[in-house]
Amino acid sequence: MIDDLFEFLQEGVTPYHAAATAAAWLEAAGFTRLEEADYWNLEPGKGYYILRNGSAVVAWRIPDHAIGGWRITASHSDAPGWKIKSDAVTNDGCRRLSVEGYGGMNMASWLDRPLTVAGRVLVRTEDGVETRLVHFDRDLLVIPSLAIHMQRNVNKGHEYNPQIDMQPLWGPEGSRSLTDLLCEALGVAAEDILDRDLQLVTRQAPTQIGPDGEYFLAPRIDDLECAATTLLGFIDAAAETDSACAPVWAMLDNEEVGSSSRQGAQSSFLRDVLDRILESIPHSAQMEHRALANSFLLSADNGHATHPNFPAKSDPAAPVRLGGGVLLKYNASQKYTTNALSGGIFRAICEKAGVKVQTFTNRADEAGGSTLGNLQSHSLPIPMADIGLPQLAMHSAVETAAVSDAEAMVRAVAAFYRVHLRALGDGVYTLE
């Protein structure tokens, strides 16, 4: 399993690459790609998936009988980082790229490490416009820090200014430009590049650490660890799920900046897919409402492990350990959607599967951020639980998590898709 996770972390250098990697896994598992602009002719027993914006994916399997509910997991493809605004700015004999921050990050973690560029490029073709992915798989640039000799008090705390501190060094004045490299990589002329969405990418490869490889270190653990492990559980169990329920896997985009895009959790993307699935098969309005009432969604986004150097930063009533199992996240203001009902159901599923569950809550004096479930519930009124995996150094350029927790998530999600969950009434369920 860890090799599959490392592949997803390594290949998913941008949301576009993460979506392409997910699509390749789904194709290998026998799922058929559809397009939103096409007519959908769905067959029982078959699996399908679609992309929106090239950065968000929804996959599902049609049950052999009428759809009696949905089993959904949702994660996100994006991570905090640096978006490239322009090709190069010359300054004192050097060329720099011009970048802007995306999401909240630990800026210092991006300094003095090998970086490269990846993303998508829109190119002109004979027939119109085409999207192409690009990833320069080599050490290409760096954001150099200012020497301590010129800021003697830096270790006492420094406020980073993105416009001054965080602009990356590209090369010497007169060197080939980023556009030159794009043209070479894509085999196009500069005038055929119409636009691009590019970002800086850390060059750290996923690697196991610890005396027996108990932990792992990688970029983008938040949230590609959840994306990969829920996808592995979905693929493992999708063909064996309750015939009355349709298994659905979603990886949405732009969570780190509020999810308000057309491919984010605040959009209609997931609900659009569910509605179109029902529209493609005979159903009644009653059937649609009954299916929603018999549905369940797991919002999968990582949470903070108790930091061994800073234990006071975590809730003392709910310590979270690396290697302690899947997180079940609670918040009094419903920024996490878990309540007694959804939490109890998830705990029961994990208990049957032999998966350890940890409770995650923030300190009472520390605000937590919203996740996918809170935002998705605006358009999808079904029971939800917020889950995740414990990690350290969240939103750093490189993060740390535990191998055993990732394995636990795969088992928990596979069990979630396999369980025969029935709503017998409000707050009354059967699990078989």
Side-chain angles (χ1 to χ4, degrees):
M1 187 286 304
I2 194 63
D3 291 337
D4 292 329
L5 174 57
F6 279 10
E7 175 188 329
F8 203 92
L9 290 167
Q10 182 76 346
E11 296 297 324
V13 289
T14 72
Y16 313 107
H17 290 81
T21 302
W25 285 18
L26 289 163
E27 291 277 353
F31 286 72
T32 300
R33 178 169 176 173
L34 301 176
E35 299 295 339
E36 286 195 89
D38 292 343
Y39 180 83
W40 291 5
N41 183 21
L42 307 181
E43 300 178 34
K46 297 290 184 66
Y48 303 90
Y49 73 96
I50 68 166
L51 279 73
R52 179 179 283 186
N53 188 55
S55 60
V57 186
V58 177
W60 67 93
R61 180 183 174 276
I62 300 297
D64 294 325
H65 305 289
I67 294 176
W70 309 101
R71 298 288 175 272
I72 307 169
T73 58
S75 56
H76 66 88
S77 60
D78 61 320
W82 299 96
K83 299 286 188 177
I84 297 171
K85 295 194 294 183
S86 65
D87 199 329
V89 178
T90 301
N91 187 55
D92 290 326
C94 298
R95 301 186 75 175
R96 299 178 298 162
L97 297 186
S98 179
V99 300
E100 182 177 5
Y102 174 91
M105 76 195 84
N106 181 346
M107 294 187 189
S109 67
W110 285 81
L111 298 171
D112 302 323
R113 62 167 63 244
L115 304 171
T116 191
V117 172
R120 66 175 176 179
V121 180
L122 277 292
V123 300
R124 181 185 291 108
T125 67
E126 291 183 359
D127 298 321
V129 178
E130 180 177 288
T131 300
R132 298 186 187 176
L133 297 186
V134 64
H135 174 208
F136 297 109
D137 191 13
R138 62 186 177 93
D139 299 342
L140 187 58
L141 66 169
V142 66
I143 304 175
S145 64
L146 181 65
I148 193 170
H149 311 75
M150 301 174 184
Q151 48 175 352
R152 294 287 185 180
N153 62 350
V154 65
N155 290 327
K156 296 180 181 179
H158 178 75
E159 183 176 351
Y160 290 93
N161 183 320
Q163 185 65 32
I164 297 173
D165 294 279
M166 306 308 298
Q167 302 302 305
L169 175 66
W170 173 258
E173 186 174 356
S175 61
R176 288 191 298 159
S177 69
L178 174 57
T179 298
D180 292 334
L181 267 61
L182 290 173
C183 291
E184 180 182 301
L186 299 173
V188 299
E191 56 268 24
D192 290 328
I193 295 179
L194 300 173
D195 213 334
R196 56 206 185 185
D197 288 318
L198 300 174
Q199 64 187 67
L200 301 184
V201 173
T202 58
R203 293 285 294 153
Q204 170 76 52
T207 185
Q208 287 182 249
I209 60 174
D212 294 301
E214 298 93 338
Y215 303 144
F216 67 97
L217 189 71
R220 301 174 294 277
I221 288 176
D222 174 28
D223 187 37
L224 293 192
E225 183 185 15
C226 280
T229 51
T230 55
L231 180 53
L232 288 168
F234 170 76
I235 290 173
D236 179 49
E240 308 170 30
T241 54
D242 180 355
S243 61
C245 287
V248 180
W249 177 82
M251 182 178 68
L252 307 174
D253 193 7
N254 302 127
E255 191 275 343
E256 299 294 357
V257 290
S259 296
S260 59
S261 64
R262 63 183 288 266
Q263 57 274 357
Q266 291 200 69
S267 74
S268 62
F269 184 31
L270 180 54
R271 183 61 186 263
D272 288 345
V273 172
L274 301 185
D275 288 345
R276 287 196 66 176
I277 293 171
L278 289 179
E279 289 168 2
S280 69
I281 58 178
H283 76 285
S284 64
Q286 284 274 7
M287 173 187 168
E288 179 177 354
H289 292 299
R290 292 181 67 188
L292 286 174
N294 199 41
S295 298
F296 203 96
L297 184 147
L298 297 178
S299 168
D301 199 356
N302 274 4
H304 304 289
T306 300
H307 198 296
N309 294 344
F310 305 95
K313 289 291 185 180
S314 298
D315 187 348
V320 172
R321 308 298 187 213
L322 291 178
V326 178
L327 300 183
L328 188 55
K329 301 158 75 174
Y330 294 84
N331 179 265
S333 299
Q334 283 294 285
K335 289 185 176 180
Y336 306 137
T337 58
T338 314
N339 56 29
L341 173 65
S342 59
I345 289 172
F346 182 71
R347 288 180 190 278
I349 292 171
C350 288
E351 184 177 324
K352 290 170 68 73
V355 175
K356 294 186 294 185
V357 176
Q358 304 185 77
T359 297
F360 175 85
T361 54
N362 290 293
R363 284 175 54 103
D365 55 0
E366 291 281 351
S370 294
T371 58
L372 299 158
N374 171 275
L375 300 172
Q376 193 65 67
S377 62
H378 298 174
S379 60
L380 202 59
I382 65 176
M384 300 182 185
D386 269 275
I387 65 172
L389 292 166
Q391 68 167 92
L392 298 173
M394 185 179 289
H395 290 193
S396 175
V398 177
E399 303 163 322
T400 300
V403 173
S404 63
D405 291 332
E407 295 169 343
M409 179 67 95
V410 176
R411 297 198 310 274
V413 169
F416 166 72
Y417 282 119
R418 288 191 175 102
V419 72
H420 289 231
L421 182 66
R422 291 286 185 276
L424 301 182
D426 186 33
V428 181
Y429 286 79
T430 59
L431 285 85
E432 300 173 7

